[in-house]
């Protein structure tokens, strides 16, 4: 195992404007409960040139988290705004009904280049097909991968993926806390370049969990896998300022058309050990689906465990059930070992990020964020990550983001305001701490 860190100061300073406070969640028993949704199979073949250019972890449309997702859609179009990592000469999209309770009918899907907001560059909209048909019906718990579409996708490009939903969907499979505005229209407007019909906005991605590109020059896909800090919580909405986005920009600047793809499989509030009604199934339960099934996957960067520690002792109900006040560092470490075993069984390297400081966290009034107990657990887990040799390498995110004068706290320069989540500059510092040779 090798340990990497960097004191390099980021040079790109982004304006500060923060999304709503991120949602985080609690504690755990070692083994995950059943997720209730079958993982997708790997959607690639060795050497076929397909990589994942964008992805987001699917979640259940829970009433405690998103009223719009829980209500679902009928005779409406959702326009998801996404941001690619690498480009290619063909694309395909994966539509997800992973957490649906009934079959999902999608009447039309299109992809277009974003001009601004919900408006697309005229002439760039292309229809996507499934088995040659414009529509597709997806069973509850399943996903559908589109036919390849010949369309030039540029690296670091904003695209809109629009889905027309003609019949009642039931609770929507979505990804909340997207740090990106999406749009909803009444009726079928999947093919519209204009934005006039898209009168409703939301900060989620709906029914979409992947966009792949065919890029034979790309050496594979790097999966950033974690919780709200990987999800980019409290980064500037619409700025694509999550640390995985910054890593993708660095790789493309350094390697151009031979850069690996980078996708973000973070879920705000996610835990290594336990499922949550609001914050996704556990890392153990979703690792195969969200990380190891990505096309071209070669590396995983894991940054998760803060929520297993922080909300231990939170009242055991709602979003926080189950909440185990006795969680130990050994339990979290055992969860890490299982993730490592799963990755290595597939020939995938897995690198660990150390857990970043959280003393002074202002977002929760209970649990163990910012407590002596929680801090002792965080330090114990980090010591194990650094010394265990369990991973293929370690990236010392804690060292990069801490206040040098008070190392149990985030650096004031990187603090988004809640003393847990980095700001845009902090996320960039995290990306800059990853040696490019590690994932190249």
């Amino acid at each position: 195992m090798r340990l990497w860190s960097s004191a390099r100061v980021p040079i790109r300073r982004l304006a500060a404007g923060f999304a709503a406070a991120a949602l985080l969640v609690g504690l755990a028993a070692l083994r995950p409960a059943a997720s209730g949704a079958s993982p997708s199979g790997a959607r690639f073949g060795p050497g076929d040139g397909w990589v994942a250019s964008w992805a987001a972890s699917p979640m259940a449309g829970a009433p405690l988290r998103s009223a719009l997702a829980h209500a679902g859609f009928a005779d409406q179009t959702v326009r998801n705004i996404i941001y690619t990592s690498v480009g290619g000469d063909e694309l395909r999209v994966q539509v997800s009904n992973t957490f649906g309770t009934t079959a999902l009918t999608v009447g039309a899907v299109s992809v277009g280049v974003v001009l601004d907001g919900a408006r697309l560059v005229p002439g760039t909209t292309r229809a996507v097909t499934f088995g040659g048909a414009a529509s597709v019906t997806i069973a509850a718990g399943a996903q559908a991968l589109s036919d390849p579409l010949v369309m030039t996708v540029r690296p670091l490009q904003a695209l809109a993926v629009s889905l027309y939903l003609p019949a009642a969907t039931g609770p929507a499979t979505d990804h909340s806390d997207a740090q990106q505005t999406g749009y909803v229209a009444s009726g079928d407007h999947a093919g519209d370049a204009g934005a006039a019909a898209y009168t409703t906005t939301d900060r989620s991605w709906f029914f979409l969990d992947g966009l792949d590109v065919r890029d034979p020059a790309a050496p594979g896909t790097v999966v950033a896998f974690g919780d709200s800090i990987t999800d980019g919580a409290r980064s500037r909405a619409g700025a694509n300022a999550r640390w995985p986005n910054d890593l993708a920009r660095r790789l493309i600047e350094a390697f151009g058309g031979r850069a690996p793809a980078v996708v973000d499989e973070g879920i705000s509030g996610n835990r290594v050990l336990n499922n949550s009604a609001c914050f996704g199934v556990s890392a153990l339960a979703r690792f195969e689906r969200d990380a190891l099934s990505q096309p071209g996957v070669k590396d995983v960067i894991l940054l998760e465990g803060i929520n297993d520690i922080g909300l231990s002792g939170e009242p055991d109900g709602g979003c926080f059930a189950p909440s185990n006040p006795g969680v130990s560092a050994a339990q979290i470490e055992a969860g890490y070992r299982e993730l490592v075993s799963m990755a290595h069984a597939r020939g995938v390297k897995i690198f660990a990020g150390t857990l970043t400081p959280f003393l002074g966290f202002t977002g929760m009034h209970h649990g163990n964020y910012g407590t002596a107990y929680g801090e002792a657990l965080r330090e114990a887990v980090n010591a194990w990550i650094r010394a265990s040799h369990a991973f293929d390498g370690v990236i010392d995110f804690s060292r990069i983001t801490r206040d040098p004068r008070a190392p149990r706290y985030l650096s004031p320069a990187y603090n988004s305001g809640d003393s847990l989540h980095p700001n845009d500059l902090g996320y960039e510092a995290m990306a800059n701490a990853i040696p490019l040779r590690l994932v190249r």
Side-chain angles (χ1 to χ4, degrees):
M1 180 211 68
R2 292 170 288 175
L3 178 67
W4 287 285
S5 64
S6 170
R8 176 183 172 186
V9 177
I11 61 173
R12 179 176 56 84
R13 294 182 177 268
L14 298 171
F18 303 114
L23 301 172
L24 292 182
V25 64
L27 222 311
L30 179 59
R31 295 295 305 180
S35 70
S38 59
S40 64
R43 59 182 192 266
F44 67 98
D48 67 0
W50 287 95
V51 292
S53 185
W54 173 90
S57 299
M59 303 169 65
L64 293 172
R65 180 177 51 77
S66 169
L68 185 60
H70 182 66
F73 302 91
D75 190 25
Q76 292 169 287
T77 304
V78 295
R79 177 157 285 178
N80 300 288
I81 308 300
I82 67 171
Y83 182 70
T84 64
S85 55
V86 300
D89 56 10
E90 293 182 74
L91 67 83
R92 59 193 186 191
V93 299
Q94 180 155 279
V95 180
S96 177
N97 194 26
T98 299
F99 294 99
T101 57
T102 187
L104 171 70
T105 297
V106 181
V109 179
S110 71
V111 179
V113 178
V114 173
L115 181 60
D116 60 74
R119 288 201 302 159
L120 309 184
V121 175
T124 65
T125 305
R126 299 287 185 272
V128 175
T129 60
F130 298 81
S135 65
V136 63
T137 298
I138 308 168
Q143 305 81 32
L145 184 63
S146 78
D147 301 327
L149 171 66
V150 176
M151 177 176 173
T152 299
V153 176
R154 298 202 322 268
L156 310 177
Q157 183 175 42
L159 297 177
V161 182
S162 306
L163 297 85
Y164 172 54
L165 308 162
T169 65
T173 295
D174 73 331
H175 181 92
S176 66
D177 205 17
Q179 320 307 322
Q180 175 65 61
T181 301
Y183 304 90
V184 182
S186 296
D188 182 2
H189 294 278
D192 291 11
Y198 288 92
T199 56
T200 299
T201 62
D202 193 82
R203 290 287 176 85
S204 298
W205 291 301
F206 295 107
F207 301 111
L208 180 71
D209 67 6
L211 183 137
D212 307 335
V213 297
R214 196 183 72 86
D215 181 9
T221 299
V222 178
V223 179
F225 188 87
D227 50 35
S228 60
I229 293 175
T230 296
D231 214 10
R234 295 181 69 90
S235 64
R236 186 160 51 101
N240 300 301
R242 314 162 191 86
W243 70 258
N245 299 137
D246 288 315
L247 176 60
R249 285 187 281 266
R250 286 190 65 212
L251 287 163
I252 288 167
E253 182 179 3
F255 302 113
R258 301 193 68 82
V262 179
V263 294
D264 188 336
E265 293 286 354
I267 295 180
S268 291
N270 202 233
R271 293 178 286 183
V272 174
L273 303 172
N274 278 102
N275 302 339
S276 166
C278 300
F279 308 116
V281 298
S282 72
L284 291 170
R286 69 186 181 93
F287 191 59
E288 170 67 31
R289 181 194 66 213
D290 291 353
L292 301 182
S293 293
Q294 295 298 327
V297 60
K298 67 184 191 71
D299 302 311
V300 174
I301 301 175
L302 170 68
L303 179 60
E304 189 150 0
I306 284 281
N307 300 312
D308 297 81
I309 294 169
L311 287 191
S312 56
E314 189 71 21
D316 195 359
C319 289
F320 309 129
S323 181
N324 174 8
V327 70
S328 68
Q331 286 178 311
I332 296 169
E333 292 154 12
Y336 289 159
R337 285 193 184 278
E338 188 163 346
L339 295 174
V340 170
S341 294
M342 293 169 68
H344 287 171
R346 294 283 294 274
V348 173
K349 291 183 179 179
I350 181 167
F351 307 100
T354 52
L355 304 182
T356 52
F358 59 61
L359 272 184
F361 177 48
T362 60
M364 296 289 178
H365 300 290
H366 306 286
N368 281 298
Y369 290 107
T371 67
Y373 175 75
E375 179 58 24
L377 279 180
R378 184 187 74 88
E379 292 180 12
V381 169
N382 280 351
W384 183 87
I385 288 172
R386 294 183 181 109
S388 67
H389 304 284
F391 297 95
D392 295 290
V394 173
I395 302 159
D396 208 339
F397 288 138
S398 176
R399 181 177 180 273
I400 292 302
T401 59
R402 71 191 184 190
D403 184 344
R405 295 172 297 181
R408 295 180 176 181
Y409 292 82
L410 279 178
S411 166
Y414 298 153
N415 192 343
S416 70
D418 70 356
S419 297
L420 172 67
H421 298 97
N423 57 19
D424 292 5
L425 192 62
Y427 285 131
E428 187 178 13
M430 292 173 65
N432 286 344
I434 303 169
L436 298 188
R437 68 180 181 277
L438 182 66
V439 293
R440 178 64 175 86

